[in-house]
Amino acid sequence: MLGKMMDDDKLEDLKHFVHLCKNDPSILLKPSLSFFRNFLESLGARIPPSPVKSEKGEEEHLDELDEDIIESDVELDDTDTVEPDNDPPQQMGDSSSEVTDENRDAAQISKAKALDAISEGKLNEAINYLTEAILLNPSSAILYATRANVFVKLKKPNAAIRDADAALKVNPDSAKGYKVRGMARAMLGLWKEAASDLRLASMIDFDEEIAETLKKVEPNAHKIEEHCRKYRRLREEKRLRKIEHDRKRRQAEAKAAYEKSKKKEQQSEHEASDPDSASDSNEGKIVGIHSVSELETKLNAASAASRLAILYFTATWCGPCRFISPFYTSLPGKYPKVAFLKADIDEARDVASRWNVSSVPAFFFIKDGKEVDRVVGADKNSLEKKIAQYAG
């Protein structure tokens, strides 16, 4: 049938249109496609609501900013950086041990040997002597800082940082500890941290080497700090935009709910003031009754339209009701001008009490608000016979 109505070109156009709708459902919100949107909704489809627009009319893209700061966005001078060293941690002294004068003197001798080895360029030998000195006198911050400085010369920044940390633990005001750790961090490209350490070292005990190192470190540190400020600003802007987006969304939802409620209220008022309209809207279906006021509204509408109303009382536990209910359900199609009502006596007790219902199923025939007849029991023939009698 579809092949006869549409040629291959039109079918291809339809496929292309469906593909576009899948990629961008907002197409269906265009006024010119309202007929198609109504058709889809009648089949149970849910059309996504219109996206919130900014003041410029563009859709908010809340995910356009990265959550994390990406330092690779910044051009840095990393010519002096090295690959991190991953050697096992060097030996450290026992800070809880008591240092005797004899050990302190022996540590000084080892330190002197280390300084001689450094002057001769024998850096690994110097490390060994300094390790001996540290084990003899683990309470000396200068020994840790000196060994850290040798590790920097050996391009082993992680080892240097471990020793600098130990020196600063012993003496938090160790200028050499901050200086060497700053130099080691710079070797790893940790520019902000390096700048912080070197500035502290300079405040405690300034020297030319610190100043020279800062000249190399601070430009990179400033770039990263500016980069961080930029992303903090962008993240804050994103946070505020999200707050505004959520506010507008809640406002739109509240407005839609209010308009829906208002429309429903207006429709109810219209039905109450226009009985013919109310009756027409219920043609061909059975209306459930849940309260006396609801029943009176429906009966008044039927009376105003000079129509017969049938009030069917039933119950979920009633066997005869289950037998005749399908038949009753089929009657609105045959008698569209009759108002077919239905009430469950357990759910609408006030309605059943008002009509003195003593058994079910029971069918009350009502005209002009008054009972004109009734059928009690699941008698299909009697029911339809009386409908034909009073509906004419």
Side-chain angles (χ1 to χ4, degrees):
M1 180 67 177
L2 183 60
K4 293 180 180 178
M5 294 174 62
M6 301 180 68
D7 56 31
D8 292 341
D9 290 340
K10 289 183 178 178
L11 282 173
E12 285 302 316
D13 289 342
L14 180 59
K15 289 179 182 178
H16 179 66
F17 174 70
V18 171
H19 179 71
L20 289 176
C21 291
K22 285 182 178 179
N23 291 332
D24 184 11
S26 65
I27 292 174
L28 296 170
L29 299 174
K30 293 183 177 181
S32 60
L33 291 175
S34 60
F35 73 95
F36 187 54
R37 184 170 65 252
N38 293 336
F39 168 69
L40 293 176
E41 289 176 338
S42 71
L43 298 177
R46 186 179 66 83
I47 309 300
S50 178
V52 176
K53 302 287 181 178
S54 68
E55 292 181 357
K56 295 181 180 179
E58 298 176 350
E59 184 177 349
E60 295 282 4
H61 297 286
L62 296 177
D63 296 325
E64 64 185 4
L65 301 177
D66 292 329
E67 284 296 327
D68 299 318
I69 295 173
I70 306 172
E71 292 189 359
S72 59
D73 289 346
V74 184
E75 293 184 6
L76 303 173
D77 180 6
D78 57 358
T79 53
D80 293 328
T81 58
V82 299
E83 290 295 322
D85 51 307
N86 297 311
D87 298 336
Q90 62 269 34
Q91 281 186 290
M92 298 288 187
D94 183 1
S95 59
S96 64
S97 64
E98 184 178 349
V99 180
T100 64
D101 290 340
E102 182 180 351
N103 285 350
R104 190 173 287 107
D105 292 341
Q108 285 298 107
I109 294 172
S110 295
K111 178 187 175 184
K113 292 179 181 179
L115 295 176
D116 290 339
I118 292 171
S119 65
E120 296 172 5
K122 300 175 181 178
L123 299 181
N124 287 315
E125 187 177 322
I127 292 292
N128 293 333
Y129 284 128
L130 287 167
T131 301
E132 289 178 6
I134 288 170
L135 294 175
L136 289 166
N137 184 10
S139 63
S140 172
I142 194 65
L143 290 176
Y144 283 111
T146 302
R147 189 173 67 171
N149 192 48
V150 178
F151 278 126
V152 167
K153 295 177 183 297
L154 288 169
K155 299 189 184 305
K156 294 186 176 182
N158 282 327
I161 290 170
R162 286 193 290 269
D163 271 349
D165 286 343
L168 291 167
K169 185 176 181 182
V170 174
N171 178 15
D173 295 323
S174 171
K176 190 168 184 177
Y178 284 116
K179 171 185 172 180
V180 177
R181 190 172 69 179
M183 295 168 67
R185 284 174 164 175
M187 294 173 69
L188 292 172
L190 302 173
W191 306 111
K192 286 199 304 179
E193 296 84 351
S196 176
D197 279 343
L198 292 168
R199 288 165 188 158
L200 280 171
S202 181
M203 286 189 290
I204 296 171
D205 186 12
F206 175 82
D207 66 36
E208 290 298 329
E209 189 177 18
I210 295 174
E212 286 300 316
T213 309
L214 270 173
K215 285 181 182 179
K216 298 178 181 179
V217 169
E218 284 192 320
N220 285 341
H222 287 322
K223 287 180 182 179
I224 293 174
E225 287 165 1
E226 179 58 31
H227 187 70
C228 292
R229 282 193 292 271
K230 170 189 171 184
Y231 271 80
R232 279 196 296 270
R233 185 182 74 252
L234 292 176
R235 280 198 294 267
E236 178 63 12
E237 288 175 1
K238 177 181 178 180
R239 185 184 71 83
L240 294 175
R241 287 170 63 192
K242 186 176 187 304
I243 291 173
E244 180 64 11
H245 175 273
D246 291 343
R247 185 189 69 79
K248 287 183 177 180
R249 176 181 54 79
R250 290 193 298 269
Q251 189 178 50
E253 290 174 352
K255 183 179 179 181
Y258 171 77
E259 290 177 350
K260 183 178 180 181
S261 174
K262 192 70 175 176
K263 184 177 179 181
K264 187 175 181 180
E265 181 181 340
Q266 290 173 347
Q267 184 178 354
S268 298
E269 291 175 354
H270 176 67
E271 288 180 358
S273 62
D274 187 354
D276 290 335
S277 173
S279 298
D280 291 342
S281 66
N282 293 324
E283 283 185 5
K285 64 180 182 180
I286 297 173
V287 178
I289 299 299
H290 306 91
S291 65
V292 171
S293 61
E294 186 178 10
L295 175 60
E296 289 176 351
T297 299
K298 298 302 179 183
L299 292 180
N300 289 338
S303 297
S306 299
R307 292 179 177 177
L308 171 68
I310 301 176
L311 177 57
Y312 165 38
F313 286 99
T314 182
T316 55
W317 44 263
C318 169
C321 296
R322 288 195 293 272
F323 167 74
I324 202 167
S325 282
F327 176 71
Y328 186 72
T329 303
S330 69
L331 293 174
K334 296 175 67 176
Y335 303 95
K337 295 302 181 182
V338 176
F340 289 90
L341 311 176
K342 180 179 179 180
D344 188 303
I345 62 171
D346 294 318
E347 293 181 2
R349 294 178 181 273
D350 56 341
V351 179
S353 175
R354 176 71 64 89
W355 288 81
N356 297 317
V357 177
S358 58
S359 63
V360 289
F363 303 87
F364 290 78
F365 292 75
I366 305 161
K367 262 195 167 184
D368 298 324
K370 298 179 181 179
E371 179 186 346
V372 295
D373 210 336
R374 72 172 67 179
V375 172
V376 178
D379 189 340
K380 296 180 181 180
N381 292 332
S382 295
L383 179 59
E384 189 162 15
K385 187 176 180 180
K386 289 184 182 295
I387 292 173
Q389 176 184 347
Y390 293 107

